[in-house]
Amino acid sequence: MLMRRWQLAHGRHLDFGDKAEVMGILNVTPNSFSDGGKFDNFDAAIAQARLMAQEGASIIDVGGESTNPKAEPVSAKEEQARALPVIEALAALGETLISIDTYREETARLAVAAGAHIVNDVWGLQREPGIARVAAETGAGLIIMHTGREREKLPDVIEDQFFFLEKSLAIAREAGIADGQIMLDPGFGFAKETTKENLDLMARVHELHALGFPLAIGTSRKRFVGHVVGREAASRVAGTAATSVILRLQGAHLFRVHDVAFNVDALAMADAMLARQGDAAGH
């Protein structure tokens, strides 16, 4: 697989190539859909982050507000009170790269100042476009996620990806963000209302390579996985790992998951298969 360098804040970078990278999800919230309340205690959050790093996560993604559409929104101050102390502590440890999962400009700016290297925006710069300035001014890595929430979607799942993400990329370029800072995320489960829609997107993710950016994936424990395997959220580990393999074989680079060790192992098998295919093609 082609080597690509992702430029991050604080002079850091991450190289994507023959090995899939894993981002561990750390929800410091009381109400996230599958692990709410497990890590909203500071000590529990740090312990979980360290465990995920030991299991092979190269990035810890810290979120202070649930993205579950049924969750009550929280204020920026509450989001920051939850996330920033954890980011500061993880930055002091220096064991992993750190991402802030937020759509708010102010939270993103404070998080990068506290030590975060990456801004992960589930609204793709279109909720608070000023968040693009944070990435431009700090050099932070930026994950631009597709969402279908609060708008009319195009009927074709990939056409809608291009429609939304091209608008987001225009905001990024207007702000002066370098292409090397950007990753795209197709946003599995975010207003993809049916299992069929999510599976159609999974089958066609490779078409997004035409946009020219590395791809981040977030299928972990999602409802559509549960519909396929018939399990509740906490028991969707194997189903999630299967999606990771499927999407790695289509060229995705970064996998945002709750269950790090399982996905690291599954992705190692996918990487071994890709390597053998490459060797066979070279002979």
Side-chain angles (χ1 to χ4, degrees), residues 84-129:
L84 294 179
V86 173
I87 290 170
E88 288 175 355
L90 294 179
L93 288 171
E95 295 175 354
T96 59
L97 296 167
I98 306 162
S99 170
I100 177 66
D101 179 359
T102 188
Y103 62 84
R104 291 187 174 98
E105 176 183 359
E106 180 187 24
T107 301
R109 191 176 298 281
L110 291 171
V112 175
H117 307 91
I118 298 156
V119 175
N120 179 16
D121 183 3
V122 299
W123 285 90
L125 312 181
Q126 296 187 40
R127 183 75 171 265
E128 289 196 16

Side-chain angles (χ1 to χ4, degrees), residues 111-184:
V112 175
H117 307 91
I118 298 156
V119 175
N120 179 16
D121 183 3
V122 299
W123 285 90
L125 312 181
Q126 296 187 40
R127 183 75 171 265
E128 289 196 16
I131 200 170
R133 287 197 299 271
V134 177
E137 291 166 9
T138 64
L142 178 65
I143 300 175
I144 296 174
M145 199 194 79
H146 172 281
T147 184
R149 291 180 181 173
E150 299 183 11
R151 65 180 180 87
E152 240 359 91
K153 293 187 299 182
L154 299 177
D156 182 87
V157 68
I158 295 297
E159 283 184 19
D160 194 70
Q161 291 276 327
F162 278 81
F163 172 77
F164 181 90
L165 292 172
E166 285 174 345
K167 187 180 295 186
S168 296
L169 288 167
I171 294 169
R173 287 173 176 140
E174 178 68 23
I177 298 169
D179 283 0
Q181 294 171 245
I182 296 172
M183 287 196 83
L184 302 180

Side-chain angles (χ1 to χ4, degrees), residues 187-208:
F188 284 95
F190 280 77
K192 285 74 174 174
E193 305 297 348
T194 65
T195 298
K196 177 184 180 297
E197 187 176 356
N198 283 282
L199 293 176
D200 287 349
L201 177 58
M202 196 183 315
R204 297 177 63 191
V205 152
H206 61 276
E207 296 179 42
L208 298 180

Side-chain angles (χ1 to χ4, degrees), residues 40-112:
D40 60 347
N41 169 277
F42 176 85
D43 290 337
I46 299 303
Q48 176 66 2
R50 300 195 78 176
L51 174 62
M52 291 192 291
Q54 290 165 11
E55 291 178 340
S58 53
I59 305 167
I60 303 300
D61 189 43
V62 181
E65 179 176 12
S66 173
T67 57
N68 186 333
K70 296 178 181 177
E72 286 293 316
V74 302
S75 68
K77 296 301 180 190
E78 178 65 22
E79 178 192 35
Q80 291 156 19
R82 294 171 178 175
L84 294 179
V86 173
I87 290 170
E88 288 175 355
L90 294 179
L93 288 171
E95 295 175 354
T96 59
L97 296 167
I98 306 162
S99 170
I100 177 66
D101 179 359
T102 188
Y103 62 84
R104 291 187 174 98
E105 176 183 359
E106 180 187 24
T107 301
R109 191 176 298 281
L110 291 171
V112 175

Side-chain angles (χ1 to χ4, degrees), residues 19-26 38-39 45-60 95-96 220-221 237 255-268:
K19 179 179 176 292
E21 298 292 341
V22 170
M23 170 187 273
I25 297 169
L26 186 62
K38 289 183 72 174
F39 309 116
I46 299 303
Q48 176 66 2
R50 300 195 78 176
L51 174 62
M52 291 192 291
Q54 290 165 11
E55 291 178 340
S58 53
I59 305 167
I60 303 300
E95 295 175 354
T96 59
S220 188
R221 302 184 184 177
V237 182
F255 297 83
R256 182 181 181 274
V257 300
H258 300 84
D259 305 287
V260 170
F262 290 95
N263 284 274
V264 166
D265 286 357
L267 288 162

